[in-house]
Amino acid sequence: MAEEITEFSAGQFETVSQLLASSVSLQMALIVLVVGIIIIVTVYRKFSSWIQTQKFSYTHPHISRFARTAMLAFFAIGLVSSVNVYIQVFELFEEQPEISTGELTSSQTFAKILNTINMLVIGYTVSQLIPVALNKRDKAIFEREDFEKWKEMGGFPDDEGDLFHKIFKWVPPKILPKDLTKEEFEKNLQTKEGLSFLENYRTSKGVTIGGYEKLVDAPFKDWKKAVRE
């Protein structure tokens, strides 16, 4: 199988090994490519390990994973493309005119190899980023649903520091409910306990009274931040 991979047409060369052996400059370019990839992988692993220990990785896991994957692809593609440009600009091959059989010249063959590496990197990156994007979308949907439930319930029992009332403020109804007298209603408005009573009050039909106004510009954003902390 190894022979099938290496033995393809390369102009006047019969194998890739002969293609590489024909030029010292080409060998150096290939060595730079291999060493560069090794360095990129090593740096990527250290960077990935470091970023996973940071708070950012826990508060924004999808963005963290996206950044790590994109960084690896960016540097890998940049390295391969740079080697490709270097070979083309400095003309490391002594080209021969293409023969009638349609065989590629040596530079075209090596450029094709580099382009294939780029395509593999891009394919790997896309395969890693698609699940990240899908998971982020699903998480955003679940978070929005949780927020709406939290808002409807006036906060969850395990909230710390009365989170709900840091984000929303109860507003008394403009129309007096039939179940309460005017005197009782106005009396409850004067005390904290009375306001709490009215906020949690249910009419004979099980309907709440009053409404809520936000105390912050972006309630959903502030709620997410508090929950993730």
Side-chain angles (χ1 to χ4, degrees), residues 129-172:
L129 294 183
I130 288 178
V132 173
L134 293 177
N135 289 337
K136 181 174 177 58
R137 185 197 64 177
D138 292 342
K139 184 176 181 180
I141 293 174
F142 292 146
E143 280 187 328
R144 174 59 69 173
E145 292 176 350
D146 284 345
F147 173 73
E148 294 300 331
K149 291 179 181 178
W150 174 81
K151 183 178 177 181
E152 182 180 347
M153 294 175 60
F156 292 145
D158 59 350
D159 285 344
E160 295 183 1
D162 196 13
L163 176 62
F164 183 81
H165 290 98
K166 292 179 180 178
I167 298 178
F168 293 101
K169 176 184 178 182
W170 182 76
V171 180

Side-chain angles (χ1 to χ4, degrees), residues 86-98:
Y86 171 75
I87 291 174
Q88 300 300 323
V89 170
F90 291 94
E91 299 180 351
L92 300 186
F93 298 93
E94 294 180 359
E95 299 287 9
Q96 283 189 340
E98 294 188 17

Side-chain angles (χ1 to χ4, degrees), residues 78-120:
L79 174 65
V80 175
S81 299
S82 298
V83 172
N84 197 356
V85 170
Y86 171 75
I87 291 174
Q88 300 300 323
V89 170
F90 291 94
E91 299 180 351
L92 300 186
F93 298 93
E94 294 180 359
E95 299 287 9
Q96 283 189 340
E98 294 188 17
I99 58 179
S100 59
T101 57
E103 293 180 337
L104 298 176
T105 61
S106 55
S107 64
Q108 290 174 332
T109 300
F110 198 75
K112 192 173 183 180
I113 295 173
L114 296 179
N115 289 335
T116 300
I117 295 175
N118 268 345
M119 292 301 296
L120 291 174

Side-chain angles (χ1 to χ4, degrees), residues 156-227:
F156 292 145
D158 59 350
D159 285 344
E160 295 183 1
D162 196 13
L163 176 62
F164 183 81
H165 290 98
K166 292 179 180 178
I167 298 178
F168 293 101
K169 176 184 178 182
W170 182 76
V171 180
K174 295 181 179 180
I175 300 177
L176 183 68
K178 296 180 180 180
D179 303 59
L180 291 174
T181 64
K182 182 178 180 180
E183 292 75 13
E184 184 180 7
F185 179 73
E186 292 181 348
K187 180 180 179 181
N188 282 317
L189 290 177
Q190 306 304 316
T191 64
K192 183 177 180 180
E193 292 76 12
L195 288 173
S196 179
F197 168 77
L198 292 175
E199 181 179 356
N200 294 284
Y201 183 80
R202 298 292 187 275
T203 66
S204 57
K205 296 182 179 181
V207 180
T208 59
I209 62 175
Y212 290 96
E213 65 179 18
K214 61 183 183 180
L215 298 176
V216 295
D217 294 331
F220 180 54
K221 182 178 180 180
D222 284 35
W223 174 80
K224 284 195 302 182
K225 182 179 179 181
V227 170

